[in-house]
């Protein structure tokens, strides 16, 4: 039996696509929150920008406000990327299908690959349409960032998968009682990775923590791109290096949790 | 035509032990199940049957000892043989929102079946699933779900089939029908089957050999006839009650040929 089979990955992607195609509320839900977020932050950006201009407080506040829409959409890539990954895993837990899957020829890393694909699919369905709305309602074109957007996206999605791997492994080992983690864990990164404000705002010791997180580099890079028109390749390279480490750690953690689950007998929910 | 058991063990357990903290669920189990045979695994609740099956599937790691299926160590090398095995258990389910057809299609893909549609159609006909192939799995009755789970278990025409209480919660008619299906599959393909069940009539009907467990150990092992003779009982149920209550002669162990 082959060590890694793309056809088994495709089988799992087919499984999730059957689910999405058969449930319009799920499709709607993918777009609902990103849209609400965009509209809310879009109007906040407009208000702050107008207030700054009227009050003569000038440039810095207005410029800072100008990055809010971009920041909220990239935050959604990070948050929805992880959620898209973990929700696929949760689907299996809710339907008590984990035992069937782990008893089939499907290998854990193929399962992970399928969840990565579904994370991208869910992002494409949920966040991409919202970028069109941003152009329509607020005149903000995220795609105008060009190459920088590709670098931002790659780094954010890698971070989201790393977190998704750890959260999914934790769910596997601890069961649905830990489900809340799937929804809440990423919010720990919201203040630390400086989504809506520069790293310089944080106290010194917290800045050191913040620079350990790849999204910090992305959001600093976003502000540099929007405010100064420069692509900070140095920031992206550093983020990528940290992300490689995080992906390796996330993968190892997931495999460790699988082993711990086999030791604890939790792959089959079958306590005699 | 009935296939005679072939040489060599399909399932071989050696000193298989599983401890959860201070609790020993399975205690030094040694057992060989011949290829092409049907072995019943009996025991009261907490006897260690399901943990044993979990270790045979490689879903539970033993604390010590080993479980081999078709020669593969299921703790370390299970992926070599998973494509030749399958199982059905009340402890797992299939995605509720997918239709029966979609579920079977996904598992057919996972097992790498060449002609998926034909195989699924054949199983649908064999297990009388046609009427609800396009219904969500979650909307089925218990009997229908069991038939779908059996279809999943037979998809890859497994050499080794593990069945954990396959007729639990079924009405007598459906249960009888399922037993007939298991018999037919064994006759047609010589499948090795390990059957955990609380239904003694089912075990008598299907099994060449019966292994009885209590507190993680094998306390009786033999053919139905030999166990009845050894315990001086008329029915397997009486034998089971003797063993479960510790009122029979527990020291009598026999390894089936």
């Amino acid at each position: 039996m082959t060590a890694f089979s793309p056809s088994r990955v495709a089988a799992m992607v087919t499984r999730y696509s059957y689910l999405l195609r058969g449930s319009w509320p799920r499709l709607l839900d993918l777009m609902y929150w990103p849209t609400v977020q965009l509209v809310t932050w879009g109007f906040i950006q407009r208000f702050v920008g107008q207030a700054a201009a009227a009050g003569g407080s000038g440039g810095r506040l207005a410029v800072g406000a100008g990055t809010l829409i971009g920041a909220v959409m990239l935050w959604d890539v990070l948050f929805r990327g992880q959620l898209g990954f973990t929700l696929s895993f949760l689907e299996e837990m809710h339907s008590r299908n984990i035992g069937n899957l782990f008893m089939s020829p499907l290998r854990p890393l193929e399962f992970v690959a399928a969840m990565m694909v579904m994370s991208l699919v869910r992002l494409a369905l949920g966040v991409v349409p919202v970028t069109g709305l941003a152009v329509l309602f607020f005149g903000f074109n995220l795609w105008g960032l060009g190459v920088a957007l590709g670098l931002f996206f790659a780094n954010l999605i890698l971070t989201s998968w790393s977190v998704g791997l750890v959260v999914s492994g934790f769910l596997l080992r601890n069961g649905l009682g830990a489900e809340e983690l799937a929804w809440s864990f990423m919010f720990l990164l919201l203040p630390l990775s400086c989504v809506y404000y520069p790293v310089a705002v944080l106290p010194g010791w917290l800045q050191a923590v913040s620079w350990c997180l790849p999204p910090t580099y992305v959001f600093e890079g976003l502000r540099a791109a929007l405010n100064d028109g420069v692509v900070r390749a140095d920031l992206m390279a550093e983020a990528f290096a940290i992300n490689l480490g995080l992906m390796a750690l996330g993968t190892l953690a997931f495999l460790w949790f699988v082993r711990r689950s086999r030791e604890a007998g939790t792959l089959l929910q079958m306590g005699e | 035509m009935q296939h005679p058991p072939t040489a060599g063990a399909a399932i071989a357990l050696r000193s298989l032990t599983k401890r959860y903290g201070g609790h020993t669920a399975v205690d030094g189990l040694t057992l060989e199940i011949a290829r092409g045979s049907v072995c019943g695994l009996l025991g009261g609740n907490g006897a260690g049957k399901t943990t044993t099956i979990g270790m045979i599937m490689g879903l539970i790691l033993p604390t010590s000892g080993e479980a081999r299926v078709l020669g593969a160590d299921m703790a370390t090398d299970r992926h070599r043989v998973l494509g030749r095995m399958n199982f059905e258990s009340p402890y797992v389910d299939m995605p509720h929102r997918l239709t029966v057809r979609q579920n079977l299609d996904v598992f057919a893909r996972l097992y790498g079946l060449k002609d998926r549609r034909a195989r699924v159609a054949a199983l649908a006909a064999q297990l009388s699933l046609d009427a609800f192939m396009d219904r969500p799995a979650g909307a089925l009755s218990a009997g229908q779900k069991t038939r779908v789970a059996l279809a999943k278990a037979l998809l890859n025409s497994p050499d080794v089939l593990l069945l954990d209480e396959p007729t639990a919660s079924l009405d007598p008619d459906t249960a009888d029908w399922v037993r007939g299906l298991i018999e037919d599959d064994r006759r047609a393909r010589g499948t090795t089957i390990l059957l955990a069940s609380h239904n003694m009539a089912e075990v008598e009907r299907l099994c060449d050999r019966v292994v009885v467990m209590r507190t993680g150990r094998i306390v009786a092992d033999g053919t139905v006839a030999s166990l009845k003779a050894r315990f001086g009982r008329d029915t397997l149920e009486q034998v089971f009650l003797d063993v479960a209550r510790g009122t029979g002669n527990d020291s009598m162990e026999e390894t089936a040929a």
Side-chain angles (χ1 to χ4, degrees):
Chain A
M1 188 158 296
T2 52
F4 187 95
S5 162
S7 61
R8 288 195 290 269
V9 177
M12 290 305 293
V13 171
T14 302
R15 177 255 188 274
Y16 298 120
S17 67
Y18 280 147
L19 188 69
L20 279 178
R21 281 190 293 178
S23 174
W24 66 263
R26 281 167 199 267
L27 284 171
L28 193 65
D29 185 59
L30 288 175
M31 285 179 273
Y32 177 74
W33 282 113
T35 306
V36 169
Q37 285 256 80
L38 171 79
V39 172
T40 305
W41 285 96
F43 283 122
I44 289 174
Q45 172 170 311
R46 185 174 289 177
F47 167 71
V48 173
Q50 288 169 352
S57 62
R60 194 165 170 218
L61 188 57
V63 165
T67 64
L68 288 179
I69 293 181
V72 77
M73 283 193 283
L74 290 187
W75 165 254
D76 259 342
V77 169
L78 182 64
F79 177 59
R80 305 275 153 201
Q82 179 258 320
L83 209 54
F85 184 101
T86 314
L87 283 182
S88 300
F89 193 83
L90 274 171
E91 295 281 2
E92 307 303 354
M93 296 197 69
H94 283 145
S95 55
R96 301 201 312 153
N97 193 37
I98 291 283
N100 278 325
L101 294 179
F102 276 84
M103 184 56 192
S104 79
L106 181 73
R107 289 175 180 251
L109 290 182
E110 293 163 354
F111 192 10
V112 165
M115 291 190 288
M116 288 174 173
V117 172
M118 286 316 296
S119 158
L120 294 174
V121 169
R122 285 172 192 263
L123 272 176
L125 292 172
V127 177
V128 171
V130 171
T131 62
L133 294 179
V135 176
L136 200 62
F137 289 112
F138 302 105
F140 180 85
N141 182 13
L142 189 69
W143 300 96
L145 290 169
V147 176
L149 177 63
L151 297 171
F152 296 156
F153 182 86
N155 272 305
L156 291 173
I157 202 72
L158 286 174
T159 307
S160 74
W161 290 344
S162 303
V163 173
L165 279 162
V166 174
V167 171
S168 298
F170 198 80
L171 284 168
L172 186 65
R173 175 64 188 87
N174 296 284
L176 285 170
E179 182 177 355
E180 192 58 31
L181 267 185
W183 300 92
S184 61
F185 188 88
M186 193 58 92
F187 283 100
L188 185 64
L189 301 191
L190 181 61
L192 292 177
S193 54
C194 302
V195 177
Y196 300 117
Y197 41 79
V199 180
V201 168
L202 300 179
W205 65 272
L206 206 51
Q207 287 185 28
V209 175
S210 179
W211 285 118
C212 294
L213 304 171
T216 304
Y217 296 80
V218 171
F219 292 108
E220 284 294 296
L222 173 69
R223 283 183 280 272
L226 292 178
N227 297 340
D228 307 323
V230 295
V231 177
R232 292 284 305 272
D234 57 326
L235 291 178
M236 294 305 99
E238 286 180 68
F240 190 67
I242 299 173
N243 265 323
L244 287 183
L246 287 181
M247 275 299 289
L249 283 176
T251 305
L252 289 174
F254 182 78
L255 295 176
W256 182 81
F257 277 121
V258 170
R259 185 174 177 82
R260 287 288 300 127
S261 300
R262 290 175 71 198
E263 286 171 355
T266 53
L267 288 181
L268 277 179
Q269 297 299 322
M270 57 184 187
E272 277 191 341
Chain B
M1 190 180 77
Q2 180 144 358
H3 285 249
T6 52
I11 299 172
L13 314 181
R14 305 246 185 282
S15 305
L16 191 68
T17 300
K18 182 64 186 178
R19 292 191 197 91
Y20 295 108
H23 169 66
T24 301
V26 175
D27 192 1
L29 222 63
T30 294
L31 176 69
E32 286 198 353
I33 298 172
R35 289 176 194 248
S37 66
V38 181
C39 179
L41 191 59
L42 304 186
N45 295 325
K49 304 186 302 294
T50 306
T51 303
T52 300
I53 289 179
M55 288 192 281
I56 292 171
M57 294 192 290
L59 294 183
I60 299 176
L61 287 174
T63 307
S64 61
E66 67 174 18
R68 287 187 176 272
V69 177
L70 302 169
D73 184 336
M74 296 307 286
T76 58
D77 198 21
R78 58 197 292 267
H79 285 281
R80 188 156 67 81
V81 293
L82 283 177
R84 297 170 61 193
M85 300 172 66
N86 215 317
F87 86 120
E88 191 269 334
S89 164
Y91 298 104
V92 297
D93 219 334
M94 294 218 272
H96 290 186
R97 291 187 178 85
L98 266 57
T99 66
V100 173
R101 190 185 306 281
Q102 289 171 335
N103 268 306
L104 294 178
D105 175 60
V106 169
F107 280 100
R109 289 168 187 263
L110 285 174
Y111 281 95
L113 301 191
K114 293 275 187 290
D115 196 350
R116 293 190 307 271
R117 285 188 183 177
R119 180 64 182 147
V120 169
L123 280 169
Q126 188 186 355
L127 285 107
S128 304
L129 308 179
D130 285 315
F132 49 87
M133 283 294 279
D134 294 310
R135 293 230 308 260
L140 304 180
S141 68
Q144 289 168 333
K145 279 183 181 172
T146 300
R147 279 148 67 183
V148 173
L150 276 169
K152 192 279 295 180
L154 296 173
L155 257 179
N156 59 328
S157 306
D159 294 330
V160 174
L161 184 57
L162 307 169
L163 300 172
D164 195 353
E165 300 180 35
T167 58
S169 78
L170 296 184
D171 67 71
D173 180 43
T174 310
D176 180 70
W177 185 86
V178 166
R179 286 172 203 130
L181 180 88
I182 294 167
E183 279 179 321
D184 290 347
D185 185 71
R186 187 268 181 105
R187 271 196 213 102
R189 300 192 305 106
T191 315
T192 306
I193 299 174
L194 179 62
L195 169 75
S197 178
H198 289 301
N199 187 310
M200 299 303 129
E202 177 172 286
V203 172
E204 285 206 47
R205 174 173 163 183
L206 296 176
C207 299
D208 308 315
R209 176 187 176 188
V210 177
V211 171
V212 188
M213 293 181 70
R214 195 177 71 205
T215 57
R217 294 181 179 184
I218 294 175
V219 289
D221 182 356
T223 62
V224 172
S226 72
L227 289 178
K228 285 181 190 171
R230 279 177 176 270
F231 282 81
R233 294 296 191 176
D234 296 327
T235 66
L236 188 59
E237 182 156 353
Q238 290 170 328
V239 173
F240 176 81
L241 290 174
D242 280 348
V243 173
R245 293 169 181 169
T247 53
N249 184 352
D250 289 4
S251 65
M252 288 189 297
E253 290 189 17
E254 174 194 344
T255 301

